[in-house]
Amino acid sequence: MTKTPTVVAVSGSLRAESYTRTALQYVLEAAAEAGAETTLLDLREYDLPVYDPDLEDAEQGDAREVKRLVREADALALGTPVYHGSYSGALKNVHDYCGWDEYEETTVGLLATAGGGSYGSTLEHLRMTVRGVHGWVLPHQVGIRNASSRFVDEPDAIDGRGFADDDLQERVEKLGRKLVEYGFIDPDIPSPRAEADD
Ligand SMILES: Cc1cc2nc3c(=O)[nH]c(=O)nc-3n(C[C@H](O)[C@H](O)[C@H](O)COP(=O)(O)O)c2cc1C
């Protein structure tokens, strides 16, 4: 029997009308259609104090639950608004709580939403951060520039928003499919190329 991967999306925007959160829900929808169990970890719903190593567990709000969700995910979609050419403090705070225990052997897909035209440094910063805690970051990533012009009102769509162009929607949904396809990356399984070299 094929195991069902769990895919968790973490949105680094706390904004009520966040484009990042909308896009991540499209990622999750595509992942669900590809066979995953999905969860949106919406940081607005969790009490996650700014990380302080001196805080006792009891003082760390919902940190234990956030870490559990990240640790138990087979694959993670990390989404963030571009803030000052990097990723948001809200998402950095999640990273400061999480480490190898949470990310080891976890497949990670990245998405960034920019008000302007540039998201490259944001995605690179996220990629480096996840690499540092041994997550497996997918080559496929999504950058949404000029975010306010990339969505159109669609009352029946997720958050009442559809994508203004099909190519962007396809990139976003592809991220969801790839997270499922590579949700069980296992470094102990030799690749076909390695076997051919033997
Ligand atoms: C503190 C702050 C810093 C920002 N810095 C940038 C930036 O460096 N480059 C950019 O293109 N947009 C920047 N923006 C705009 C956001 O990236 C943009 O509004 C984004 O779509 C917000 O995502 P959200 O709708 O998910 O909250 C910034 C916004 C804020 C609030």
Side-chain angles (χ1 to χ4, degrees):
M1 192 177 72
T2 311
K3 212 177 138 200
T4 302
T6 56
V7 179
V8 172
V10 186
S11 173
S13 175
L14 304 181
R15 207 168 69 84
E17 304 289 321
S18 164
Y19 297 115
T20 308
R21 194 180 311 109
T22 299
L24 282 176
Q25 288 176 86
Y26 276 93
V27 171
L28 290 182
E29 184 179 64
E33 281 173 10
E37 278 177 16
T38 64
T39 302
L40 176 67
L41 200 170
D42 185 346
L43 293 175
R44 293 176 308 171
E45 295 171 2
Y46 293 84
D47 167 28
L48 200 62
V50 173
Y51 179 69
D52 176 350
D54 287 336
L55 288 183
E56 302 290 338
D57 280 1
E59 299 171 303
Q60 292 187 353
D62 297 325
R64 182 188 289 266
E65 175 63 3
V66 168
K67 288 200 292 187
R68 186 190 65 79
L69 282 167
V70 173
R71 188 174 59 249
E72 292 183 0
D74 297 304
L76 281 174
L78 299 180
T80 182
V82 173
Y83 279 178
H84 306 305
S86 189
Y87 60 96
S88 72
L91 193 55
K92 181 67 168 68
N93 197 37
V94 174
H95 281 309
D96 291 343
Y97 278 99
C98 295
W100 296 337
D101 287 348
E102 284 71 30
Y103 278 97
E104 196 89 52
E105 292 177 16
T106 302
T107 303
V108 181
L110 306 179
L111 179 147
T113 308
S118 175
Y119 49 73
S121 53
T122 299
L123 290 170
E124 283 306 307
H125 295 174
L126 263 180
R127 187 170 288 272
M128 281 189 297
T129 305
V130 175
R131 185 256 168 265
V133 287
H134 302 180
W136 292 74
V137 189
L138 293 174
H140 181 74
Q141 58 188 13
V142 179
I144 303 177
R145 57 170 59 92
N146 303 318
S148 60
S149 65
R150 309 301 294 281
F151 293 88
V152 289
D153 289 345
E154 268 182 33
D156 295 334
I158 290 171
D159 285 345
R161 289 170 173 159
F163 288 92
D165 75 83
D166 292 343
D167 286 352
L168 178 59
Q169 180 163 357
E170 168 54 23
R171 279 194 72 78
V172 169
E173 291 176 348
K174 183 176 176 182
L175 190 65
R177 294 195 300 273
K178 290 284 175 194
L179 285 166
V180 176
E181 186 178 352
Y182 294 104
F184 295 121
I185 285 177
D186 184 344
D188 294 329
I189 297 175
S191 71
R193 186 180 302 165
E195 284 178 340
D197 287 345
D198 285 344

